Amino acid sequence: MEDWLASFQDEAFNSNTLYLESKLSEGLRVTEHLGAPNRLRTAICCHIFDLIVDNMSKYFQPTMEILKRELYGSIYHDPNGLLSEANMGSDLMGAGGRTPSHLYLESRPFYLYIDNLREELSQKNDLIDNLQEDRQKKADAADMTM
């Protein structure tokens, strides 16, 4: 994935727009088998959005940076603050002021966080059900011995 994201600098296009459209189409195609949403697709879209924001005119870029921070804060569950720090201009910033692509890959989107929470809840509910069944069996056995 990082090699694919790094390939952005290696290809030459006459138009940044056509180039980004091409990379987006390619990224969506190669992650199609993973379903949507998925972590790689999310990272690709955020990386491309970074590139678009970086190429905005000086008049729109400050507003787009705010939008980017807000969107990424809504997309990623970021307990360590890496993504927030990178977007706020810390030492984690990549070349050209962009968030390094590895941060997107290392950060967990909320939908994965929620999926993990649902799985944990399901496992705990199964455990509760099993404990209640065991308790009922013991109570039934105790009633039979009386």
Side-chain angles (χ1 to χ4, degrees):
M1 178 64 189
E2 288 202 35
D3 291 341
W4 184 85
L5 291 171
S7 75
F8 277 68
Q9 286 90 23
D10 297 337
E11 298 177 16
F13 269 70
N14 290 333
S15 161
N16 284 339
T17 303
L18 288 176
Y19 175 67
L20 292 176
E21 285 177 9
S22 167
K23 294 306 277 188
L24 178 60
S25 293
E26 178 186 349
L28 296 178
R29 185 176 33 76
V30 300
T31 60
E32 192 172 50
H33 68 284
L34 299 173
N38 68 67
R39 181 179 244 157
L40 294 177
R41 191 173 268 222
T42 302
I44 289 166
C45 290
C46 287
H47 185 69
I48 290 174
F49 190 64
D50 276 350
L51 295 172
I52 291 169
V53 170
D54 286 349
N55 287 297
M56 296 293 291
S57 73
K58 67 180 179 178
Y59 301 107
F60 290 112
Q61 193 169 21
T63 301
M64 293 301 290
E65 288 290 340
I66 293 167
L67 286 171
K68 183 174 78 169
R69 274 196 312 272
E70 293 300 317
L71 286 171
Y72 293 176
S74 297
I75 293 169
Y76 287 100
H77 178 257
D78 193 21
N80 297 322
L82 288 176
L83 195 60
S84 299
E85 287 180 37
N87 282 318
M88 296 299 288
S90 75
D91 293 337
L92 296 171
M93 292 298 282
R98 289 189 301 276
T99 305
S101 57
H102 74 274
L103 287 179
Y104 297 130
L105 296 171
E106 292 171 3
S107 296
R108 186 165 36 157
F110 273 110
Y111 54 84
L112 291 180
Y113 179 70
I114 297 300
D115 287 347
N116 289 342
L117 289 176
R118 285 184 181 139
E119 179 62 29
E120 285 179 32
L121 179 62
S122 176
Q123 290 172 357
K124 289 180 182 185
N125 284 335
D126 289 346
L127 178 62
I128 289 169
D129 290 344
N130 290 337
L131 291 171
Q132 286 176 337
E133 285 177 25
D134 289 347
R135 184 175 150 203
Q136 186 61 46
K137 286 177 185 175
K138 288 178 184 177
D140 291 346
D143 287 345
M144 291 178 80
T145 59
M146 287 185 181

